[in-house]
Amino acid sequence: MRILITGAAGFLGSHLCDRLLADGHAVIGMDNFITGSEANLAHLAGHPHFLFIRHDVSNFIFVPGKVDAVLHFASPASPNPSSPFGYVNLPIQTMKAGALGTHNSLGVARKHNARFLLASTSEIYGDPLEHPQKETYYGHVDPIGTRSVYDEAKRFAEALTMAYHRFHGIDTRIARIFNTYGPRMLLEDGRVVPNFLQQALRGEPLTVFGDGAQTRSFCYVDDMIEGFVRLLLSDYHSPVNIGNPVEISVLEFAEAINRLVGNTKGIVFMPDRRGEGDPQRRRPDISRAREVLGWEPQVSLEEGIRRTIPYFKEKLG
Ligand code: NAD
Ligand code: UDP
């Protein structure tokens, strides 16, 4: 296939480029570098089956030649308000990437009669009242809170994707992505894995927001990419949770990172982010992914963190 990936210079987008090229596809990567990095794609310069187009997907998208699949991943993705790359500090760009960017990406899929995959998020469940989260749960989202620029844009993106499927017959898919980590995460984006790994490698205490009782379920990037590829090759149109169902508190996670890195500086507790809508519990129910895609994560948290440490060491010099 000839595949357009928006957000190609980001963490997940760049791994997807690598995987789809390795599988023998041709890839067109598109990005405006708002939170991504040229370094993530530097190794693909000159690749005979890779084309990069610098473009803001909130504007009309033109792709030369035929397109067989569109994977829409362009969007700021970090909730941390202390990072300049957090979506709270890029509110209009985030809403435009989720709304106009999804519309334009779906337009490309329609023009070429291509299949389409939307990178949605567990954030569409908000601060969930149902646990673990199944795809049938409608969510608990504050429509005007600071996180709403991301959550509501993604909810709109899902609705638009289903509208294109139902009304125009476009062959769409929706991946609801839960917390993912691995090499090529932006160091400054403020998400918990880059924050904790950098702090631990620098020999600083880890900043836990609140008491650290809030939970997350962390998926290693290779597992996530395998899930995307299986979903892309499936003909399943309803949303599918893709994530690791092993749940851990943020405090336990901080302790595990300190142990794996050998950091003796411990933990500092910072003000909690509940008022900003920091979800207190998050764990995917992945029964649907198991059944429809035959997929489940293979990499343990300890193994995934071990595989991620060298990237952060190199970046920190
Ligand atoms: P990232 O910030 O590393 O990558 C996003 C990429 O999109 C960046 O390269 C950025 O420059 C690009 N981009 C943003 N707006 C754009 C625009 N208007 N035009 C062109 N390019 C634009 O983030 P990521 O973690 O790789 O996330 C990728 C996608 O997956 C996002 O849609 C995000 O919502 C979704 N997601 C990620 C996670 C996760 O844990 N990583 C979880 C849930 C959902
Ligand atoms: N968190 C933390 N310290 C940090 C960064 C994040 O305790 O330095 C917490 C944050 O409050 C949240 C969890 O870790 O409960 C995951 O945050 P992240 O920013 O990775 O993304 P989210 O899962 O909220 O989308």
Side-chain angles (χ1 to χ4, degrees):
M1 287 191 282
R2 190 160 183 265
I3 303 175
L4 171 67
I5 303 178
T6 75
F11 162 51
L12 294 178
S14 63
H15 283 283
L16 254 177
C17 290
D18 288 347
R19 168 65 191 265
L20 292 170
L21 286 167
D23 287 353
H25 302 288
V27 171
I28 306 147
M30 184 169 282
D31 209 290
N32 66 351
F33 300 120
I34 189 171
T35 60
S37 153
E38 278 177 89
N40 286 339
L41 296 175
H43 60 288
L44 295 180
H47 190 294
H49 303 299
F50 182 69
L51 170 70
F52 181 76
I53 302 175
R54 184 173 189 155
H55 181 69
D56 180 339
V57 296
S58 305
N59 301 315
F60 181 86
I61 300 172
F62 173 74
V63 180
K66 114 182 198 311
V67 176
D68 303 299
V70 178
L71 281 65
H72 179 41
F73 278 69
S75 170
S78 166
N80 195 330
S82 25
S83 162
F85 301 102
Y87 52 70
V88 176
N89 297 311
L90 301 166
I92 316 291
Q93 292 95 325
T94 301
M95 294 215 76
K96 286 172 78 174
L100 305 177
T102 304
H103 190 211
N104 292 328
S105 304
L106 280 162
V108 176
R110 186 173 173 219
K111 176 176 170 185
H112 293 271
N113 198 19
R115 56 182 73 194
F116 181 85
L117 189 153
L118 173 71
S120 186
T121 169
S122 53
E123 281 284 319
I124 70 111
Y125 300 122
D127 191 2
L129 302 177
E130 184 181 302
H131 192 80
Q133 292 78 53
K134 285 196 182 76
E135 291 88 347
T136 47
Y137 178 48
Y138 293 165
H140 180 231
V141 176
D142 175 354
I144 56 160
T146 51
R147 282 188 179 233
S148 66
V149 295
Y150 183 71
D151 302 7
E152 296 293 11
K154 291 287 188 182
R155 289 171 70 98
F156 174 89
E158 287 201 6
L160 192 63
T161 300
M162 290 310 294
Y164 266 66
H165 173 63
R166 294 188 181 115
F167 191 73
H168 289 311
I170 305 300
D171 187 10
T172 59
R173 293 137 189 84
I174 297 173
R176 287 193 183 148
I177 306 168
F178 284 66
N179 293 66
T180 310
Y181 68 97
R184 299 194 197 149
M185 293 191 92
L186 185 69
L187 267 70
E188 307 83 7
D189 90 2
R191 280 182 276 186
V192 68
V193 174
N195 273 15
F196 282 2
L197 275 176
Q198 281 177 88
Q199 290 159 349
L201 288 166
R202 288 199 178 108
E204 297 167 1
L206 273 50
T207 54
V208 168
F209 300 160
D211 61 7
Q214 69 272 33
T215 65
R216 290 294 185 273
S217 308
F218 295 101
C219 187
Y220 186 64
V221 62
D222 290 0
D223 281 332
M224 182 59 58
I225 300 292
E226 177 65 26
F228 295 152
V229 171
R230 289 189 188 209
L231 183 59
L232 180 68
L233 299 180
S234 80
D235 55 7
Y236 194 77
H237 305 296
S238 294
V240 181
N241 287 340
I242 309 190
N244 193 315
V246 177
E247 185 179 3
I248 182 171
S249 75
V250 168
L251 182 58
E252 286 168 326
F253 184 54
E255 286 164 352
I257 298 266
N258 274 340
R259 184 167 39 77
L260 288 169
V261 174
N263 181 30
T264 54
K265 289 290 162 56
I267 285 158
V268 283
F269 293 94
M270 312 287 282
D272 76 54
R273 303 260 164 119
R274 277 209 88 158
E276 292 150 20
D278 190 357
Q280 293 308 290
R281 301 188 76 184
R282 189 184 283 159
R283 172 156 71 97
D285 181 317
I286 61 163
S287 314
R288 187 175 280 181
R290 281 197 180 103
E291 195 181 310
V292 177
L293 310 177
W295 174 88
E296 64 183 347
Q298 305 295 322
V299 181
S300 70
L301 186 58
E302 185 162 330
E303 173 60 19
I305 293 294
R306 285 192 201 286
R307 291 193 203 173
T308 307
I309 287 172
Y311 163 80
F312 281 91
K313 271 194 176 152
E314 192 193 316
K315 284 279 170 189
L316 292 174

